């Protein structure tokens, strides 16, 4: 009885540890980090966004600072930067340290003064001396910049600091995202006292003033960085759209209920199309009336209108449900497409659902846009008269919640409960005192996993029916296969022969083979789901941590199980009158 209690307590501890691993993913304190080559820093601060921290030693005698800037959860396809702005402004005037993995695999660290919002972080001298700088890529998930900085002359030790990351293309930094955290990555730092403070969230530093808002008020116009348009065009209102590096500028004419717009989409090439749309019906993609721009095969920039009538659209040209007296486009700075248009808004309203997108072009024909991550979040509401905008309009927020629920249900059921139930059956029944407790634990875990998994499968089917034309074929097919195999396992339980039945061996082979296949397919499909949902990296990392723990626990328990089984066989061989055991080590 005591042995049985120990077994149950051991397995309970295993479940508790799994839950703790899944729920803990907080960034560790910066003071505990061990740097290479014995470097150490007296001061450090975990920066509030973008998984970054700054470490430093301040030398009062010569007003210099040794710094180590760490930026985590990135890859060798990203660049990182940390900057000071001696003038106290934001991005413009910042003096930055940049690092990334070069195409040849080496780590490049250099300085770059920021003189415009369109910077590509070109190398150049700063307004203060940087006697030493280097960088390293460690743990396959973080870049660290080391530097010695000679602070500007004077008594000031407090400055504006900024930090960022973005993608690389051919060894060249591309514009960083303009989503919330990237617009909040600035603050103050006092190297002498150690004080740091985060800046206010949106708008980005140096942007035009915003209309004051309260927590319940939608985002208002004029939260874009300054931009000079060709032809001397100017716009009174602007909104930095929350995803896909896009901006909408406009002038609203109340007397005629018309608008002049400039839609800017940055971080694209001439191999991409861009589109911005209004949906007068309040829906999302179906019924949207879009403005499209792309580079034609002859190199010219083509701009036209396209009504969206199905999810399989290739953005064919056609008239919209409202008038568009003029439309044109241009490709500028080698990284952004701008659509200019005059739009006669439908009578009686100035508030609409807006959508924006980009995708690839093949042979001059727009291809389907991606259906993961930010590309399924590029929808919101806009009021051209008041300037207010909100993200996730037209049910987008509700759909995203359903996607999140679908993901959580399937990770918990197929991805955690199912493997734990299998481990209970394989490793607990080796203990004689755990019989039949192992069976009830196994059945409870697998039945719970199946019930929760069916709920997750049902939400997935509902999402599929609500998103006609959005295909995740591999994920869907694996999900259907899992549902079918899981259902077979449930019915197999009802047909389970008695232990001494002549068909029990064949039933065991079938049950175990299908069970392990379900677990393998479940894990594969969960990672397919992560790629589709594109959540923060910490959630994927948390699940990887759970899998590593389960794998390590299974390896240890497997070794222990075989030790007991072999020991019993040796004991049985010495004293054959003690009885026989089956392959799992307990008496038949």
């Amino acid at each position: 009885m005591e042995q049985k209690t120990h077994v149950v307590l051991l397995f309970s501890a295993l479940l508790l540890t799994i839950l703790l691993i899944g729920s803990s993913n907080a960034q560790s304190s910066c003071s505990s980090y061990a740097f290479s080559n014995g470097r150490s820093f007296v001061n450090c601060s975990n920066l509030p966004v973008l998984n970054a921290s700054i470490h430093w030693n301040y030398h009062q005698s010569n007003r210099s600072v040794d710094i180590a800037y760490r930026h985590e959860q990135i890859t060798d396809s990203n660049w990182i930067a940390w900057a000071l702005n001696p003038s106290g402004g934001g991005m413009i005037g910042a003096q930055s340290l940049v690092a990334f993995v070069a195409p040849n695999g080496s780590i490049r660290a250099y300085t770059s003064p920021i003189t415009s919002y369109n910077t590509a972080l070109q190398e150049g001298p700063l307004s203060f001396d940087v006697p030493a700088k280097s960088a390293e890529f460690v743990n396959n998930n973080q870049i660290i910049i080391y530097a010695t900085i000679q602070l500007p002359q004077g008594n000031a030790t407090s400055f504006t600091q900024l930090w960022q990351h973005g993608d690389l293309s051919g060894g060249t930094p591309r514009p960083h995202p303009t989503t919330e955290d990237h617009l909040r990555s600035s603050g103050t730092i006092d190297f002498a006292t150690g004080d740091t403070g985060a800046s206010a969230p949106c708008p980005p530093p140096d942007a035009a003033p915003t209309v004051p808002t309260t927590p319940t008020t939608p985002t208002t116009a004029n939260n874009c960085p300054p931009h000079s348009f060709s032809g001397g065009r100017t716009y009174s209102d602007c909104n930095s759209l929350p995803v896909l590096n896009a901006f909408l500028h406009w002038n609203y004419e109340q007397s005629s209920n018309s608008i002049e717009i400039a839609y800017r989409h940055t971080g694209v090439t001439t191999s991409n199309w861009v589109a911005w749309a209004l949906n007068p019906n309040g829906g999302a993609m179906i019924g949207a009336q879009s403005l499209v721009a792309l580079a034609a095969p002859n190199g010219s920039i083509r701009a036209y209108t396209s009504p969206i009538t199905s999810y399989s659209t290739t953005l064919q040209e056609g008239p919209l449900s409202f008038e568009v007296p003029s439309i044109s486009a241009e490709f500028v700075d080698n990284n952004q497409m701008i659509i200019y248009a005059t739009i006669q808004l439908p009578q009686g309203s100035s508030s609409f659902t807006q959508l924006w997108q980009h995708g690839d072009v093949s042979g001059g024909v727009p291809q389907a846009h991606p259906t993961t991550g930010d590309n399924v979040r590029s929808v919101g509401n806009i009021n051209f008269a008041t300037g207010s905008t909100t993200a996730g309009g037209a049910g987008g927020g509700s759909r995203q919640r359903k996607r999140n629920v679908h993901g959580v249900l399937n990770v918990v059921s197929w991805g955690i409960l199912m493997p734990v139930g299998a481990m209970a059956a394989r490793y607990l029944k080796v203990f004689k005192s755990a019989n039949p407790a192992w069976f009830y634990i196994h059945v409870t875990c697998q039945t719970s996993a199946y019930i929760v998994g069916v709920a997750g499968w049902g939400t997935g089917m509902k999402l599929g029916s609500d998103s006609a034309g959005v295909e995740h074929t591999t994920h869907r097919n694996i999900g259907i296969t899992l549902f079918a195999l899981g259902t077979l396992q449930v019915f197999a339980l009802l047909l389970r022969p008695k232990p001494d039945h002549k068909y029990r061996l064949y039933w065991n082979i079938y049950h175990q083979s299908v069970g392990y296949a379900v677990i393998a397919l479940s894990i594969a499909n969960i990672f397919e789901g992560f790629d589709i949902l594109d959540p923060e990296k910490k959630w994927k990392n948390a699940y990887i941590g759970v899998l590593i723990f389960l794998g390590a626990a299974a390896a240890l328990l497997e070794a222990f199980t075989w030790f007991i089984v072999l020991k019993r066989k040796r004991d049985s061989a010495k004293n054959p009158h003690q009885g026989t055991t089956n392959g799992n080590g307990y008496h038949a």
Side-chain angles (χ1 to χ4, degrees), residues 359-498:
D360 294 331
V361 175
S362 177
V365 177
Q367 303 299 298
H369 66 76
T371 54
T372 59
D374 287 347
N375 289 87
V376 296
R377 293 192 282 265
S378 54
V379 59
N381 295 314
I382 184 168
N383 189 315
F384 293 107
T386 65
S388 63
T389 61
T390 58
S398 174
R399 185 177 292 111
Q400 185 62 33
R401 283 192 296 274
K402 291 178 183 177
R403 288 157 60 92
N404 292 339
V405 169
H406 169 70
V408 170
L409 290 175
N410 286 306
V411 168
V412 170
S413 58
W414 304 104
I416 296 179
L417 284 176
M418 194 72 72
V420 169
M423 290 171 64
R426 180 164 181 81
Y427 300 122
L428 285 185
K429 65 183 178 182
V430 73
F431 300 98
K432 298 176 183 178
S433 58
N435 189 27
W438 70 264
F439 176 75
Y440 296 117
I441 294 175
H442 173 66
V443 170
T444 299
C445 285
Q446 304 306 76
T447 303
S448 300
Y450 178 75
I451 293 172
V452 177
V454 168
W457 180 77
T459 60
M461 297 300 290
K462 176 62 175 173
L463 282 167
S465 66
D466 290 344
S467 307
V470 179
E471 296 287 343
H472 301 297
T473 306
T474 302
H475 186 67
R476 180 196 63 195
N477 291 344
I478 295 178
I480 293 173
T481 303
L482 284 173
F483 172 74
L485 292 178
T487 303
L488 281 177
Q489 287 288 72
V490 171
F491 282 110
L493 181 65
L494 303 176
L495 302 175
R496 178 172 173 260
K498 294 183 180 297

Side-chain angles (χ1 to χ4, degrees), residues 84 94-97 110-114 124-130 149:
L84 293 181
Q95 308 293 300
S96 66
L97 306 175
Y110 64 93
T111 59
S112 176
I114 309 298
L126 305 186
S127 63
F128 47 79
D129 290 335
V130 182
I149 296 172

